[in-house]
C-alpha cells in the first residue's frame, strides 16, 4: 500500500491506500518501507552483467525470495527478479492516484503554475527545480535533428530537460514546441508513424527557416521513460511541461478537436499560459489560410487566428 497521510499523533496510526483502492488505518510499527513503485537502476549483477545500469520500475516484493519484480525500460516490459542490494533508487514520483487520495495536497495547480510563471525569467536550471519540489519527473524532448534524419525519425533519441542548450547566463538557448496529438491518454505509447512523419516535415521547415536556433519538441508519447510509473506521473506533470514550452503545435486530424486532452492543451495554452497555438494540417499550412497569403509566413508567425473550442461532452 501507499501511505496517504501523516501519522496521527493521537492514535499513532496513518492512512494507507491499498492496491484495491481501500484505505486502512495502521500503526507505524506494522509498516515496512519497500521499493515498490520506485524508479531504480540495476547494479552489481553477476549473472546478467549486461543489465547493469539499466532503468526499471520496481514492482512487488516477494517475501519468500526477498526479490523484487522489476520491469525494464526496454519498451518490451521485460520482468526480472532482483534482490534489493542490486537496486539503486533513482527516484520516487507522485502518482495521480496518491495525489487524489491525499487529504492535504502537496500542491495545487493554481499555485504551482503561478510559481512556474514567476520563474520564467530565471535560469533554466532554476525553472526545472519545480519538478523536484512537486515530486514529478522532468520532461524529455526530441531534437529536431533526430526528426529530420530518416534513420532516427520513427524511434528518435530523447534529451533530458537538464541537457538542453543554455546560454552563458544559464538561460534556455533553443526553441521548445509542445506537440498536441489526437489521443485518449495523456502519455500514449507508441507514437504513431504518421505523426512522426508530419513532425519531420515541420522540423525540416524550421531548420531551413532558422538554422541557428535549435528546435526541440515535447511529444506526448516520448516525453518520459517507457515505465508505467513515470508515464502516469508525467500525465500529472503535463501542464508544467507545457509551461516550459514557447508554443503548442496541434497536429490536426478529423477527431483532434473532439479529444479531451487536445482541447485541454489548447485551452490551457491560450487562456492560462498565454501561448500561441498553431494548427498544423497535413499540407503544413495553417487552418483557413490561403496558400497565397502564407508564403511561408505561417511558420511560428504572430498572426492571430480565432479558434472556438466547444465544451466537453459526457464521457470525454
Amino acid at each position: 500500500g501507499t501511505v496517504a497521510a501523516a501519522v496521527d499523533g493521537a492514535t499513532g496510526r496513518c492512512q494507507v491506500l491499498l492496491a484495491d483502492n481501500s484505505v486502512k488505518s495502521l500503526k507505524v510499527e506494522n509498516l515496512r518501507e519497500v521499493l515498490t513503485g520506485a524508479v531504480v537502476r540495476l547494479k552489481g549483477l553477476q549473472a546478467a552483467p549486461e543489465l547493469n545500469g539499466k532503468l526499471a520500475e520496481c514492482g512487488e516484493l516477494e517475501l519468500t525470495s526477498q526479490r523484487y519484480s522489476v520491469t525494464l525500460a526496454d519498451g518490451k516490459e521485460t520482468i526480472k527478479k532482483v534482490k534489493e542490494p542490486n537496486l539503486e533508487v533513482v527516484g520516487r514520483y507522485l502518482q495521480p492516484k496518491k495525489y487524489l487520495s491525499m487529504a492535504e495536497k502537496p500542491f495545487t495547480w493554481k499555485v504551482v503554475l503561478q510559481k512556474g510563471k514567476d520563474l520564467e525569467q530565471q535560469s533554466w536550471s532554476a525553472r526545472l527545480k519545480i519538478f523536484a519540489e512537486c515530486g514529478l519527473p522532468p520532461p524529455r524532448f526530441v531534437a529536431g535533428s533526430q526528426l529530420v534524419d530518416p534513420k532516427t525519425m520513427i524511434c528518435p533519441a530523447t534529451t533530458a530537460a537538464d541537457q538542453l542548450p543554455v546560454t552563458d547566463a544559464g538561460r534556455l538557448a533553443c526553441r521548445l514546441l509542445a506537440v498536441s496529438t489526437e489521443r485518449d491518454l495523456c502519455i500514449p505509447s507508441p507514437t504513431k508513424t504518421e505523426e512522426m512523419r508530419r513532425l519531420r516535415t515541420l522540423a525540416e521547415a524550421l531548420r531551413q527557416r532558422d538554422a541557428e536556433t535549435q528546435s526541440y519538441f515535447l511529444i506526448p508519447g516520448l516525453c518520459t521513460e517507457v515505465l508505467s510509473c513515470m508515464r502516469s506521473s508525467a500525465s500529472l506533470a503535463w501542464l508544467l511541461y507545457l509551461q516550459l514550452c514557447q508554443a503548442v503545435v496541434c497536429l490536426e486530424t478529423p477527431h483532434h478537436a473532439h479529444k479531451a486532452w487536445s482541447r485541454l492543451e489548447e485551452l490551457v495554452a491560450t487562456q492560462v499560459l498565454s501561448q500561441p497555438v498553431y494548427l498544423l494540417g497535413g499540407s503544413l499550412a495553417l487552418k483557413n489560410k490561403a496558400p497565397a497569403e502564407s508564403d511561408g509566413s505561417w511558420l511560428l508567425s504572430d498572426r492571430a487566428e480565432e479558434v472556438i473550442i466547444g465544451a466537453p461532452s459526457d464521457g470525454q
Side-chain angles (χ1 to χ4, degrees):
T2 303
V3 175
V7 178
D8 189 322
T11 64
R13 295 173 177 267
C14 60
Q15 300 295 314
V16 178
L17 176 66
L18 302 181
D20 61 0
N21 292 326
S22 63
V23 177
K24 299 292 184 181
S25 181
L26 303 174
K27 292 184 177 180
V28 176
E29 54 265 31
N30 293 327
L31 301 177
R32 171 189 171 183
E33 185 177 5
V34 294
L35 301 182
T36 301
V39 178
V40 296
R41 180 173 283 109
L42 277 60
K43 64 176 184 177
L45 295 173
Q46 302 296 325
E50 69 278 5
L51 296 180
N52 289 327
K54 300 294 185 181
L55 283 181
E57 177 180 350
C58 207
E60 294 184 356
L61 172 64
E62 188 177 284
L63 295 178
T64 55
S65 65
Q66 289 297 297
R67 292 175 181 266
Y68 285 95
S69 295
V70 299
T71 303
L72 301 180
D74 58 359
K76 303 175 183 178
E77 298 187 351
T78 304
I79 297 178
K80 298 292 183 180
K81 301 287 186 179
V82 184
K83 291 184 178 181
E84 186 168 340
N86 298 115
L87 300 174
E88 176 188 353
V89 177
V90 174
R92 290 179 180 271
Y93 300 110
L94 185 62
Q95 300 298 309
K97 182 187 294 187
K98 181 176 180 180
Y99 178 84
L100 294 173
S101 67
M102 298 174 75
E104 184 176 345
K105 300 291 189 292
F107 62 84
T108 61
W109 281 114
K110 181 178 180 179
V111 172
V112 78
L113 288 176
Q114 181 59 50
K115 186 173 182 178
K117 183 177 181 180
D118 295 339
L119 291 171
E120 288 180 354
Q121 302 305 316
Q122 302 297 317
S123 67
W124 182 244
S125 60
R127 295 182 65 185
L128 294 180
K129 288 181 180 178
I130 195 170
F131 293 100
E133 295 172 0
C134 295
L136 300 170
R140 301 185 69 87
F141 297 87
V142 176
S145 57
Q146 287 283 314
L147 295 174
V148 170
D149 189 344
K151 297 179 181 178
T152 59
M153 175 192 67
I154 302 301
C155 298
T158 58
T159 302
D162 60 0
Q163 298 299 312
L164 294 177
V166 295
T167 64
D168 293 338
R171 302 288 295 275
L172 191 65
C174 60
R175 178 189 293 115
L176 296 185
L177 298 175
V179 178
S180 176
T181 61
E182 175 192 320
R183 62 197 193 279
D184 295 310
L185 298 175
C186 179
I187 314 296
S189 178
T191 301
K192 299 177 182 178
T193 301
E194 177 58 29
E195 293 173 350
M196 301 305 292
R197 287 175 177 160
R198 293 174 67 183
L199 287 176
R200 177 194 176 190
T201 308
L202 173 60
E204 180 62 38
L206 284 170
R207 187 175 68 171
Q208 293 178 1
R209 187 175 182 85
D210 183 6
E212 295 183 0
T213 304
Q214 298 182 63
S215 295
Y216 287 82
F217 297 84
L218 176 70
I219 303 176
L222 299 170
C223 68
T224 189
E225 299 287 352
V226 288
L227 295 173
S228 61
C229 65
M230 294 194 70
R231 287 183 175 276
S232 61
S233 187
S235 67
L236 190 59
W238 188 245
L239 298 187
L240 281 176
Y241 291 0
L242 293 179
Q243 192 173 45
L244 293 177
C245 300
Q246 288 109 15
V248 175
V249 176
C250 298
L251 301 186
E252 281 195 300
T253 60
H255 303 292
H256 180 274
H258 303 289
K259 297 296 183 178
W261 279 108
S262 304
R263 291 202 306 275
L264 174 66
E265 288 157 351
E266 294 186 23
L267 287 170
V268 170
T270 56
Q271 304 301 316
V272 179
L273 304 178
S274 299
Q275 293 178 349
V277 174
Y278 301 98
L279 306 178
L280 186 62
S283 59
L284 270 188
L286 278 183
K287 183 179 180 181
N288 297 331
K289 182 174 287 188
E293 298 176 353
S294 301
D295 193 26
S297 62
W298 63 268
L299 199 57
L300 298 185
S301 70
D302 56 1
R303 294 182 59 179
E305 180 177 351
E306 182 177 352
V307 178
I308 300 177
I309 303 175
S313 60
D314 290 343
Q316 294 185 327

